[in-house]
Amino acid sequence: MARKSRKNLETTASAPSYTTTIYNVAAYIRLSVEDNHKKGDSIETQKAILENYIAQNPDLKISSFYIDNGISGTTFERPQIKDILADAESGVIKCIIVKDLSRLGRSAIDTGYYIEKYLPTLG
């Protein structure tokens, strides 16, 4: 039996193709009356932080900014939070970003419910 040379064998393995999913993001900003005097929590600062984060993550695209100005985070009865939840339920947005969790809500129990129970059911 004749031997075959292995010197000039071409590899035909192609590079795997990856598709990137782009997620529509709700950027939520809240500034309560008490926070008006704190440096670093202004609406402009929070917006800049969120835009910076989005710029570093190409798979995220800001669908809209939702801003509750002058409303306490102790309740989830806020107009823009209701709009975010409605948009999440309808599939308009797939991700919610905030500067920190205190912007989403001040009650650890209520905030935890939305993060761990309610929002995951929406995908």
Side-chain angles (χ1 to χ4, degrees):
M1 182 187 281
R3 293 179 32 184
K4 293 183 180 180
S5 173
R6 294 185 183 157
K7 290 181 184 177
N8 295 327
L9 291 179
E10 290 183 33
T11 58
T12 58
S14 62
S17 63
Y18 297 102
T19 57
T20 303
T21 302
I22 305 294
Y23 295 97
N24 285 331
V25 173
Y28 181 69
I29 297 170
R30 182 186 61 78
L31 188 65
S32 65
V33 176
E34 298 87 31
D35 292 333
N36 277 333
H37 304 293
K38 289 183 185 177
K39 195 171 188 165
D41 277 341
S42 73
I43 289 175
E44 295 79 20
T45 302
Q46 291 181 56
K47 189 173 184 180
I49 290 169
L50 298 178
E51 286 173 333
N52 210 15
Y53 180 78
I54 292 295
Q56 296 173 7
N57 293 278
D59 57 334
L60 302 177
K61 176 185 156 231
I62 292 180
S63 173
S64 184
F65 282 94
Y66 298 79
I67 301 171
D68 280 321
N69 192 2
I71 302 175
S72 173
T74 57
T75 178
F76 274 83
E77 295 298 317
R78 292 174 262 153
Q80 293 295 291
I81 280 292
K82 289 181 178 183
D83 290 346
I84 283 178
L85 295 176
D87 287 349
E89 290 169 1
S90 67
V92 172
I93 57 169
K94 288 293 185 185
C95 179
I96 301 169
I97 61 171
V98 291
K99 174 188 167 253
D100 58 52
L101 287 180
S102 71
R103 301 297 94 200
L104 185 60
R106 290 290 190 175
S107 167
I109 293 171
D110 292 340
T111 304
Y113 164 76
Y114 282 100
I115 292 171
E116 295 178 21
K117 301 283 185 195
Y118 181 73
L119 292 172
T121 64
L122 303 177

